[in-house]
Amino acid sequence: MSTPAMRRSDKTMTDEQALQTIERGFAGRLATVSEDGYPYCIPLLYIWAGNQLFLHGTSALGHLQTNVRREPRVCFEVDEAGEVFEYGRFECDSSLAFRSVILFGRIRIAEDAPVKQWFCERLMEKYGKPNTIRPKNFFPRLDAITVYVMTVERMTGKQQILPPLSEQWPAKDRTMTPDARP
């Protein structure tokens, strides 16, 4: 997996930090490209395992599946928002603590029932209620879902760490336009 150089190298996450963000993430956004060239981006729950991303949707042929069958190159984004903080005297001198990871790669449809079963079991481990009284690992509608497997080729991670109060305004003034007057 390659990590391209980012313009803001001061915000670059290590691969380990990026992988931790993916593992902690709740949901992300998958972007595909339509036949007419328009991007299509949807929020999805996901499972990260074996350096691959597993996602699912309906088995009905819709926008997502049509795009994936035509063009397997996709990207997936997951983020964690932190606190907004001030670094200068004006409202525009504000920022947000965050972590964001973008995965680039190729996606395929997993046709076999054992992969769908495995995915649903992991999905319930991650998102299900642990004390449920419902039967475990019983998914009678596996044929009604499509499981997608994304193989990651590139990854970028970017973060803005919340500075300590001693580095925030008014303790420290980093106004970007110091000569401006309201």
Side-chain angles (χ1 to χ4, degrees):
M1 179 175 354
S2 71
T3 304
M6 291 185 5
R7 182 183 63 84
R8 290 293 309 264
S9 60
D10 60 315
K11 296 188 183 299
T12 301
M13 296 168 68
T14 65
D15 285 352
E16 182 179 326
Q17 290 170 318
L19 291 171
Q20 288 171 355
T21 301
I22 293 165
E23 289 169 2
R24 273 194 314 266
F26 182 79
R29 284 141 296 281
L30 179 70
T32 62
V33 179
S34 298
E35 185 176 13
D36 61 6
Y38 278 95
Y40 180 64
C41 182
I42 57 172
L44 293 168
L45 301 178
Y46 68 92
I47 299 298
W48 176 256
N51 287 328
Q52 292 183 313
L53 195 70
F54 294 81
L55 313 143
H56 79 296
T58 179
S59 63
L61 187 61
H63 204 150
L64 173 61
Q65 194 175 133
T66 298
N67 288 356
V68 167
R69 288 186 184 278
R70 189 187 63 72
E71 173 56 70
R73 291 177 296 175
V74 297
C75 73
F76 183 82
E77 187 272 347
V78 63
D79 57 74
E80 297 175 353
E83 293 181 44
V84 173
F85 63 93
E86 299 170 341
Y87 60 83
R89 296 187 306 271
F90 307 115
E91 287 182 304
C92 60
D93 294 324
S94 299
S95 193
L96 171 73
F98 70 92
R99 288 178 184 251
S100 174
V101 177
I102 300 178
L103 305 173
F104 301 88
R106 296 179 190 274
I107 199 165
R108 66 178 173 79
I109 294 173
E111 306 284 357
D112 43 332
V115 173
K116 289 182 177 187
Q117 178 73 28
W118 174 89
F119 171 79
C120 289
E121 290 171 6
R122 299 300 82 70
L123 197 68
M124 290 300 97
E125 285 175 10
K126 183 174 179 180
Y127 299 103
K129 294 183 178 182
N131 299 326
T132 186
I133 60 171
R134 300 181 303 175
K136 291 274 189 201
N137 303 328
F138 179 66
F139 307 104
R141 295 188 311 274
L142 286 180
D143 59 338
I145 68 168
T146 298
V147 172
Y148 300 92
V149 182
M150 179 182 175
T151 301
V152 178
E153 297 170 358
R154 295 183 299 159
M155 173 177 65
T156 61
K158 187 175 173 182
Q159 67 183 344
Q160 170 66 56
I161 297 170
L162 181 67
L165 291 175
S166 63
E167 295 295 313
Q168 297 180 37
W169 186 84
K172 189 165 192 176
D173 188 354
R174 288 199 192 99
T175 301
M176 298 301 284
T177 50
D179 298 329
R181 301 279 180 253

